[in-house]
Structure formats: C-alpha cells, structure tokens
C-alpha cells in the first residue's frame, strides 16, 4: 500500500504549498459522496481483502496520542478516587471479619501492605500510559492490576469502571505511543509515525456501543413513561426548562425523552463529519450536567465520556483535509498486494471483539434481581428504594432464632439487590457465625424493594435458607421473587393519592404474595398509622392483643404504635395495601421550631416586649456564637440552634465565590491524595524493612490522616434531620 506524507509548511516555500493545494482540489473532485460522509468508499467493503486494506490504512496518530495521554491522566486521578487508594486500609484491614463479594469466590485480597503495592503498580502503569513511557509495559501493568481490583469487589462495579478496563485492554493492542510520548523521544523512528485505521475503529466502535446499547436499554417501558429517574426533574439544572414547562413534562420530555434520544443517536452523530461538531456540543453539555447530577466515581463517568467525544472530534480534525497538520494521501492497493497475515488476524480479532461485546451487553441480566451488573449498559435505568431489610439466623443444632444488623460484617449495601451477592453474603455469614456460638446457621433474608416507583415488594423468598439454596446466573432461581409487573399501572393512582395528602402525612405502598406475611413494628413516633387495602384480601394480626382482623378491598383499620403486627395475604392473587401515617414527633418538633424562629425574629426586630425566660436566652445570642448552643439547657432550643448553625453552613457553602469553591475543592483533593501516597509510602517501607514499633506506626498514620480546615464533613450530611422518619 503506497503512502505519501506531505508536511504543511509556513516558511514561505511556495512550490510545496501550491502542490498541496492542487492535490486537495483534485482529491475533493474525485471523492464520492459516500467517501465524503464516511471516509471510505463502497469498494472498500466489497471484499475481505479490501476491508483489511481499509482497516490497516495509515492514519494520523495525533488524536490517538492525545486520547492516550488524557486517559492516562484520568486513571492517575482515579487511583486515589474511585479505586480507593486513599481509604484502602479501611477496606482491606488485615484480620477484620468482613464479607467480600469477588467475581470468583476463590479471589482473595492480598495482605494490606501488598495491596498497596498492587495500587502502586496500577498508579505507575497509569502514569506510564499518560506519558507514553515504556508504553506496552505500562499498559500491561495497568490492566493486570486494574482487572484484579475490579474482579475483587463487585460492590464497586459501575458501567464506567468496566469501560476503563476495556479501553485499557484496547490501548495495549494499539500504537498509542507515536504522538505526545516519551517513547517517541527515545525512539525517533516511531515519533509522529502513522497508525493503522483499526486503532481508531476499535475505540470508536467501543464508544458507539456504550451509547447505542444504553439507548436500547432505555426503550424499557419504565424509562419511556418517565418512572426511572423522575426525581432528577427537581434538580436546579432543569430550572430553565421548568420556566416554560411543568415539572411533569420536564421529567417526561427532557430527562427521559432527551436521555433516550441522545443515547440512541450520539454514536451515529459523532460518526458523520457533518453532524460531529453539533453532536460534540450536545454530548459535552449532557455529560457536564451528569457531573453535577450524580456523584459517580467523583464525576469520572462524565469526564470519561467527554474525553471519548473529544477523541472522535480530534480524529476528525487531524484527519480532515482542511484541518490536518500532516496530510496523508493514499493510492489504491493493487489486487495482487496481499496484506500481511498479522493484519488479517487483527481484523478477525476486531470483529470477534465487537460482536462478543455487543452480545454480552445486550444479554446482560441487570434486571429486577440483578446479576453481573457490570456486564450491561443499563445506565440509570432503574431507581430503587428499600423499605424493610431483615436478616434472620437459625441455629441448625438448637433451633434458636436470632436477628442480625443488615450491615454486619460488610461495608456495602449493594448485596440487597443482587441474587449472586446475597448468596455470597449468606455463605460468608455461615462461616462467621460459628465464632459466636451459632452452629450450622441457616440464613433467611426478608428484603422489600420498590423499583421505579412501584409497590414495595419482596425481592427474595424469606422462607428459603440462602446458605443451602442453589444459585446460577444461567438459569432461573426459584428463591428470586418475580417483579409484580401486572401492578405497574397502579403508579398513576399513587400520584393521585400522594397529591391529596398534606405535607405531614406520609404513605407507603405494599404488595405481597399469597401465603406470605409482613411482620412490622410501628414506631411510637408514628401516630395515626392505618392500613388500607387496595386490592385482594389480608388478615391483620395484632401480636400483643392476639386479635385478628380481616380486611377486604377498600377497607381500613388503625394499627397501634409501639407494637408489632402481622399482615397475612389470604387472597389467591397478590394483595396490595398502603400504610398512611404521620410522624407526630417530627411534626411537633417542626411546630416548636417555627414558634422559636418567630420568637427569635420578634426579639431581634424589637417587637417582643416580654422578657425571655432563662431557658430561651440562648435564642438572642449572635448568629456566630457557638457557645449559645452548648449552654442551652432546653433540648428543643439546643436542637433548634444546632439546626440553624447547619443551615448557615450550607448557605455559606452554596453562596461561596468561585475562588473559594476552587480552594475548597483543591484542598479536599489534596488531603485525599496526600493520605493515599503517605499510606503507600508506609506500606512500601513495611515491605522493605519490616514493621516499625507500634508507637511510630501510630504517629505515621495520624500524620497521614491530617485533614484541612475546610474538611468538616460531607455537605450532604449537614442538613440531615435530627429526628428521622420511623421505619415502617
């Protein structure tokens, strides 16, 4: 395949410039319509030989080099962020009785100091990719440690985390070190050399799959009808749309409709030259919004997709006649010229990779009970809320029954939605409980979940001992309860019922299977709690009173607070009912807060003439006087002042200037990264020369734990209500 490189000049040489211009004009005239749009001719797809020649066509390496550099930079940052280097000791503390959720059950974390070494290799590999230094070795260092960490903990899986590993593997096969690389300085022969077109084809196909399959998944009825992410419409980012549309239409048309259209079309629009600049604008705007809407991987999800769009745009810039720095013209390869056998193998590998990946994404079973979540591009298709989680254990020898805190022996909450993780958790508990004199334990889970604003319903059969239950991702598992999709139309009725309630009344919608019952405790904080049957027939047992009441459709009864009751489904079909209640303690507290605020305002503006009693004196202290909260003798006053202080802190943060926000952000990141590297240095020292005395190690860890003055806690926690809602 003949190749001619012509370098653009600006030093006054007229002849090369004239020839270059003439070549462009001649080339533009001879290009077919298909070649202008797609970048290749129909003949290039007419045979395997021509396809291999097309995929191995020399192409400018600049875009690939820029992508490699920026991808490496994101991974360098990601090591201390989502990969968790800064808090690695909390996650993998040696000897701690912790249940873990690896992809394969035999996978185990290394001792803590060796885990720090794994992360150090990951960091050096990411840095080598960014700099293009010992490129192949750096890629191997990155993917070997990244996939080990990735497979070690399914609870940390996300679609974008899966994508990082795929791109790292793809970069290993490519010639990404021919532009913006230290390898190019060491080896002038590869510096700015061309790369075969398949390097770009593989990455662009990967990006296309991410968008398009995500769009296919969003054709789900829940997404199209606006139930998956309805809460997003209330975010301030959508205020411009809410100025012209009601929030219901913003949710349906902008959040869900816009997301669907963008995912289905972004891959195509980024492909065509004519639409690429517009697609880049909309995709960039979309991911900038995502960086504010979600805290997924410290917004790496949005940055990665922005980078992928930038990659396609720079590919267009560096390989378009009017914009290219290094122009490459091609002469058709004669039929007698056969590509090297390695080229055929690369093309076969490329096709098999893309076909297998697209199939696995389509077949990924991220549904009601979930499976290997990371193998499916179901991006934000499902929103869930958990109402009730109970773990019961039974001693296999004595028959004694007890209950476990749902979060015992684990740092994660994701196991509540995944059948495979629930099985792993049960197996882990069965090995840990004998330490606490529970012999041959049986483990039962009663977990209630609402998916996409449906009824709260069971996700697993509470009658099955999960320790002995079989699990397979390739066949149905009878202990996974089916989603009651026939009850989905009730969601419209839910909105009507909720709209008719006042601000203090709350409601929970329940659906249960025939032959099962819900055991529930109503907190004393919840007054006027009642059950109303919407469909089917239930039997309500008041445990302490030993009384039973049968309720038909539309019938209602009150249940006592501070006591247990059971609701049995006695109809042949699933029953549907709702709890209606008022958090009387919280309502009384808010009423007291309102009175205290009004009194405080009257004192400050001089309209309050009566002297305040001693217990209310802290109300007239200056706003920045923290001692008033400490000195308050009345618990309601103390709680009121504490709430005011937190609201003031939140307001201060929200109204902070750009410079202050950047300073706070940089400080937080600095201390996070600082801790990660200091703890890594301690671990490397331990591996090299052994553990120091305990007092020295304690001082070193305390020094690593040092935080900045601005790091006072997560802003989202500042407005947590002091009195929470009682769990039904």
């Amino acid at each position: 395949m003949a190749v001619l490189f012509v370098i653009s000049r600006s030093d006054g040489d007229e002849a090369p410039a004239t020839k270059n211009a003439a070549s462009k004009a001649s080339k533009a005239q001879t290009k077919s319509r298909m070649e202008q749009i797609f970048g290749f001719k129909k003949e290039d797809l007419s045979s395997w030989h021509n396809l291999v020649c097309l995929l191995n066509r020399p192409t400018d390496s600049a875009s690939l080099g820029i992508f490699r550099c920026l991808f490496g930079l994101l991974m360098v940052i990601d090591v201390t962020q989502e990969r968790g280097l800064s808090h690695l000791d909390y996650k993998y503390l040696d000897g701690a009785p912790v249940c873990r959720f690896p992809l394969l059950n035999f996978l185990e974390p290394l001792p803590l100091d060796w885990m720090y070494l794994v992360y150090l290799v990951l960091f050096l590999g990411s840095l080598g990719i960014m700099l293009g230094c010992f490129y192949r070795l750096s890629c191997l260092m990155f993917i070997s440690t990244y996939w080990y960490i990735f497979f070690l903990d399914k609870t940390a899986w996300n679609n974008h985390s899966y994508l990082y590993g795929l791109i790292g593997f793809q970069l290993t096969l490519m010639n990404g070190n021919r532009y913006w690389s230290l390898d190019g300085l060491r080896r002038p022969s590869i510096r700015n050399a061309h790369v075969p077109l398949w390097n770009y084809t593989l990455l662009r196909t990967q990006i296309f799959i991410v968008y398009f399959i995500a769009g296919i998944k969003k054709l789900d009825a829940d997404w199209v009808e606006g139930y998956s992410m309805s809460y997003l419409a209330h975010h301030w980012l959508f205020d411009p749309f809410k100025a012209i549309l009601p929030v219901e239409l913003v949710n349906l048309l902008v959040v869900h409709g816009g997301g669907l259209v963008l995912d289905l079309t972004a891959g195509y629009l980024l492909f065509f030259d004519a639409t690429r600049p517009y697609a880049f604008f909309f995709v960039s705007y979309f991911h900038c919004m995502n960086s504010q809407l979600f805290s997924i991987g410290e917004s790496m999800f949005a940055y990665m997709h922005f980078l992928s769009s930038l990659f396609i745009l720079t590919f267009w810039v560096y390989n378009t006649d009017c914009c290219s720095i290094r122009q490459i013209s091609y002469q058709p390869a004669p039929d007698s010229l056969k590509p090297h056998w390695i080229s055929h193998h690369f093309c076969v590998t490329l096709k098999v990779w893309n076909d297998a990946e697209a199939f696995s994404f389509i077949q990924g079973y991220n549904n009601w009970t979930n499976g290997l979540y990371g193998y499916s591009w179901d991006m934000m298709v499902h929103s869930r809320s958990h109402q009730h989680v109970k773990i019961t254990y039974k001693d296999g020898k004595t028959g004694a029954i007890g209950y476990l805190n749902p979060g015992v022996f684990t740092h994660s909450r994701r196991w509540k939605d995944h059948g495979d993780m629930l099985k792993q958790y049960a197996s882990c508990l069965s090995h840990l409980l004998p330490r606490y004199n529970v012999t041959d334990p049986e483990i039962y889970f009663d977990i209630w979940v609402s998916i996409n604003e449906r009824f709260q319903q069971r996700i697993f059969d509470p009658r099955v001992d999960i320790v002995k239950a079989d699990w397979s991702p390739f066949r149905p598992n009878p202990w996974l309860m089916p989603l009651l999709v026939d009850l989905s139309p009730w969601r419209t009725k839910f909105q009507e019922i909720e709209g008719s309630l006042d601000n203090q009344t709350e409601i929970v919608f329940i659906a249960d299977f025939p032959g099962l019952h819900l055991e529930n405790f109503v907190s004393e904080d919840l007054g006027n709690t009642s059950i109303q049957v919407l469909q089917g027939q239930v039997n309500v047992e008041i445990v302490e009173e030993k009384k039973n009441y049968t309720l038909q459709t539309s019938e209602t009864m009150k249940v006592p607070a501070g006591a247990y009751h059971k609701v049995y489904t006695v109809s042949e079909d699933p029953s549907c009912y709702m709890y209606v209640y008022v958090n009387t303690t919280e309502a009384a507290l808010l009423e007291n807060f309102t009175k205290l605020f009004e009194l405080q305002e009257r004192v400050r503006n001089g309209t309050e003439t009566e002297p305040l009693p001693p217990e209310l004196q802290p109300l007239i202290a200056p706003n920045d006087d923290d001692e008033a909260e400490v000195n308050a003798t009345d618990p309601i006053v103390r709680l009121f002042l504490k709430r005011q202080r937190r609201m003031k802190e939140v307001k201060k943060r929200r109204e902070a200037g750009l410079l202050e926000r950047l300073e706070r952000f940089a400080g937080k990141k600095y201390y996070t990264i600082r801790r990660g590297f200091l703890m890594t240095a301690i671990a490397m020292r331990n591996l090299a020369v052994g553990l120091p005395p305990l007092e020295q190690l304690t001082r070193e860890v305390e020094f690593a734990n040092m935080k900045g003055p601005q790091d006072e806690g997560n802003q989202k926690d500042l407005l947590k209500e002091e009195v929470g809602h009682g769990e039904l």
Side-chain angles (χ1 to χ4, degrees):
M1 185 181 295
V3 181
L4 174 64
F5 290 88
V6 181
I7 309 299
S8 302
R9 295 172 177 263
S10 59
D11 55 3
D13 292 347
E14 297 293 337
T18 303
K19 291 180 181 179
N20 195 29
S23 174
K24 287 181 184 179
S26 174
K27 192 173 183 180
Q29 293 175 356
T30 58
K31 274 189 175 181
S32 65
R33 180 66 175 170
M34 181 176 180
E35 193 173 3
Q36 292 176 11
I37 297 176
F38 294 99
F40 54 84
K41 297 178 293 184
K42 181 173 64 175
E43 290 77 10
D44 292 328
L45 307 179
S46 61
S47 67
W48 177 256
H49 168 80
N50 290 345
L51 176 62
V52 173
C53 291
L54 171 66
L55 293 177
N56 286 276
R57 188 175 71 185
T59 312
D60 194 296
S61 60
S63 180
L64 183 61
I66 294 172
F67 177 84
R68 182 219 76 236
C69 181
L70 296 179
F71 174 80
L73 175 62
L74 287 182
M75 293 302 98
V76 165
I77 298 172
D78 185 68
V79 169
T80 60
Q81 302 295 321
E82 191 176 359
R83 293 318 113 203
L85 176 62
S86 60
H87 55 271
L88 195 63
D89 52 325
Y90 297 106
K91 189 172 184 179
Y92 295 112
L93 185 63
D94 292 339
V98 176
C99 293
R100 305 191 187 280
F101 305 89
L103 174 66
L104 304 172
N105 290 330
F106 64 82
L107 284 176
E108 294 281 348
L110 299 173
L112 181 59
D113 289 339
W114 288 97
M115 286 301 299
Y116 273 105
L117 179 60
V118 170
Y119 272 72
L120 179 60
V121 174
L122 175 64
F123 174 80
L124 293 176
S126 304
L127 186 64
I129 292 175
M130 182 185 75
L131 300 176
C133 181
F134 299 104
Y135 175 67
R136 303 290 182 196
L137 177 61
S138 296
C139 287
L140 291 174
M141 292 169 61
F142 173 80
I143 63 173
S144 60
T145 51
Y146 186 92
W147 284 106
Y148 169 68
I149 295 169
F150 184 77
F151 289 150
L152 200 59
D153 184 14
K154 285 187 291 190
T155 66
W157 282 18
N158 276 307
N159 286 302
H160 62 281
S161 298
Y162 185 42
L163 179 63
Y164 298 162
L166 294 177
I167 291 178
F169 177 76
Q170 292 171 359
L171 286 176
T172 307
L173 306 177
M174 299 176 188
N175 303 309
N177 61 337
R178 298 188 176 184
Y179 188 82
W180 272 17
S181 71
L182 295 181
D183 286 349
L185 296 178
R186 295 189 304 106
R187 300 165 55 195
S189 60
I190 68 169
R191 185 179 182 184
N192 295 335
H194 70 270
V195 297
L197 181 62
W198 67 262
N199 283 202
Y200 287 99
T201 304
L202 185 57
L203 272 177
R204 293 174 70 185
T205 304
Q206 179 68 72
I207 296 166
F208 174 84
I209 287 176
V210 171
Y211 281 111
F212 185 70
I213 300 300
I216 294 295
K217 296 287 186 175
K218 286 182 173 62
L219 291 175
D220 178 80
D222 284 359
W223 184 277
V224 174
E225 295 174 10
Y227 289 109
S228 296
M229 294 284 127
S230 59
Y231 65 91
L232 292 181
H234 299 280
H235 197 279
W236 63 265
L237 280 172
F238 296 97
D239 286 349
F241 300 102
K242 285 182 281 188
I244 57 176
L245 293 173
V247 67
E248 293 80 9
L249 288 181
V250 171
N251 169 55
L252 183 62
L253 301 179
V254 180
V255 176
H256 290 87
L260 172 63
V261 172
L262 187 136
D263 279 340
L264 284 176
T265 61
Y268 293 102
L269 297 179
L270 286 169
F271 187 86
F272 297 113
D273 291 352
T275 58
R276 189 171 295 116
Y278 306 104
F280 178 73
F281 170 79
F282 285 109
V283 167
S284 301
Y285 178 72
F286 172 74
H287 289 301
C288 286
M289 292 181 68
N290 281 344
S291 69
Q292 299 298 313
L293 289 171
F294 308 109
S295 57
I296 309 175
E298 296 290 336
S299 299
M300 282 293 176
F301 170 74
Y303 301 148
M304 185 64 227
H305 280 282
F306 177 81
L307 173 59
S308 66
S309 305
L310 183 64
F311 160 72
I312 294 179
L313 184 67
T314 54
F315 169 77
W316 172 61
V317 169
Y318 279 102
N319 291 278
T320 303
D321 288 345
C322 63
C323 304
S324 181
I325 297 175
R326 291 178 300 282
Q327 298 297 329
I328 307 176
S329 62
Y330 313 97
Q331 297 179 4
D335 293 338
S336 60
L337 180 60
K338 294 184 178 181
H340 195 274
W341 65 271
I342 295 179
S343 301
H344 285 279
H345 283 198
F346 266 120
C347 294
V348 172
T349 302
L350 174 66
K351 186 177 188 308
V352 172
W353 171 274
N354 290 330
D355 291 346
E357 188 179 358
F359 177 79
S360 67
F361 290 158
I362 294 174
Q363 296 300 316
Y365 59 106
N366 175 26
N367 45 38
W368 165 232
T369 53
N370 285 306
L372 301 181
Y373 177 83
Y375 289 119
S376 177
W377 293 119
D378 287 16
M379 297 184 194
M380 313 307 293
V381 175
H382 302 134
S383 61
R384 300 168 183 268
S385 64
H386 297 82
Q387 185 66 33
H388 180 73
V389 179
K390 183 173 71 173
I391 304 177
T392 306
Y393 68 84
K394 180 179 180 181
D395 190 304
K397 184 177 181 180
T398 65
I401 294 176
Y403 303 94
L404 295 176
N405 185 320
V408 69
F409 303 128
T410 180
H411 302 308
S412 173
R413 293 178 295 179
R414 185 174 280 188
W415 57 268
K416 293 184 292 187
D417 296 322
H418 298 251
D420 56 335
M421 293 188 196
L422 192 84
K423 175 64 178 178
Q424 289 177 308
Y425 193 31
S427 299
C428 176
L429 291 175
S430 69
H431 289 93
L432 291 176
L433 287 180
R435 302 182 187 180
Y436 304 91
N437 300 319
V438 180
T439 307
D440 297 328
E442 301 173 6
I443 310 294
Y444 302 89
F445 294 89
D446 193 12
I447 301 175
W448 294 74
V449 183
S450 169
I451 182 172
N452 296 344
E453 303 182 20
R454 287 181 172 84
F455 282 99
Q456 291 279 343
Q457 69 154 89
R458 285 186 168 95
I459 186 171
F460 307 111
D461 193 331
R463 300 165 295 188
V464 175
D465 173 18
I466 306 301
V467 177
K468 298 182 178 66
D470 292 329
W471 161 260
S472 173
F474 306 111
R475 66 173 184 269
N477 299 279
W479 51 275
L480 303 180
M481 307 297 282
L483 178 64
L484 296 173
V485 292
D486 293 342
L487 302 178
S488 298
W490 274 96
R491 289 179 291 188
T492 303
K493 184 66 174 178
F494 294 168
Q495 295 173 356
E496 297 177 3
I497 296 174
E498 290 170 343
S500 64
L501 302 177
D502 56 48
N503 293 331
Q504 295 182 346
T505 304
E506 301 188 39
I507 194 165
V508 177
F509 298 98
I510 304 290
D512 202 4
F513 295 90
L516 296 179
H517 72 274
L518 168 65
E519 184 179 13
N520 201 359
F521 178 82
V522 178
S523 170
E524 294 180 352
D525 294 328
L526 307 181
N528 300 322
T529 301
S530 63
I531 297 177
Q532 179 177 342
V533 178
L534 302 174
Q535 177 179 303
Q537 182 178 345
V538 301
N539 187 294
V540 181
E541 176 188 356
I542 308 301
V543 178
E544 292 184 357
E545 299 177 3
K546 297 182 180 180
K547 293 182 179 180
N548 292 276
Y549 304 88
T550 300
L551 300 180
Q552 307 285 346
T553 301
S554 301
E555 293 184 345
T556 304
M557 70 167 288
K558 288 188 177 182
V559 290
Y564 279 96
H565 66 271
K566 298 179 181 179
V567 183
Y568 296 84
T569 297
V570 294
S571 54
E572 295 182 357
D573 297 322
S575 65
C576 306
Y577 51 93
M578 63 181 180
Y579 282 94
V580 183
Y581 62 97
V582 176
N583 192 324
T584 52
T585 301
E586 183 178 3
L589 184 63
L590 292 177
E591 183 179 356
N592 287 328
F593 281 176
T594 301
K595 293 179 179 178
L596 290 175
F597 178 76
E598 293 173 351
L599 176 61
Q600 187 182 61
E601 289 297 304
R602 291 198 302 271
V603 171
R604 288 176 177 173
N605 60 30
T607 58
E608 179 64 34
T609 58
E610 297 292 331
L612 295 181
E615 63 271 16
L616 299 181
Q617 288 293 328
L619 292 175
I620 61 176
N623 289 333
D624 55 354
D625 187 0
D626 294 336
E627 292 186 3
E629 177 187 330
V630 177
N631 297 330
T633 57
D634 188 292
I636 303 298
V637 173
R638 187 185 307 115
L639 209 56
F640 172 75
L641 294 174
K642 183 178 181 180
R643 187 173 186 271
Q644 277 198 323
R645 177 174 58 82
R646 291 184 173 182
M647 293 179 65
K648 179 184 175 183
E649 291 172 355
V650 171
K651 183 179 179 181
K652 181 180 178 181
R653 286 173 176 263
R654 289 176 176 172
E655 296 178 352
L658 179 60
L659 185 61
E660 185 179 348
R661 288 172 179 261
L662 289 175
E663 181 181 0
R664 187 167 61 234
F665 176 82
K668 179 181 177 181
K669 297 303 178 186
Y670 166 75
Y671 284 100
T672 299
I673 296 172
R674 174 184 178 275
R675 186 183 194 278
F677 284 111
L678 286 177
M679 294 297 294
T680 302
I682 294 172
M684 295 305 99
R685 190 274 318 280
N686 295 344
L687 290 176
V689 300
L691 287 170
L694 183 59
E695 296 79 7
Q696 178 184 341
L697 187 61
T698 302
R699 290 195 303 269
E700 292 172 347
V701 174
E702 288 178 352
F703 179 71
N705 288 337
M706 183 176 65
K707 297 181 179 180
Q710 296 290 339
D711 195 6
E712 300 173 354
N714 193 326
Q715 178 179 344
K716 294 180 181 179
D717 296 333
L718 292 177
L719 271 183
K720 282 186 175 178
E721 294 294 337
E722 290 77 11
V723 178
H725 298 293
E727 183 186 74
L728 278 173

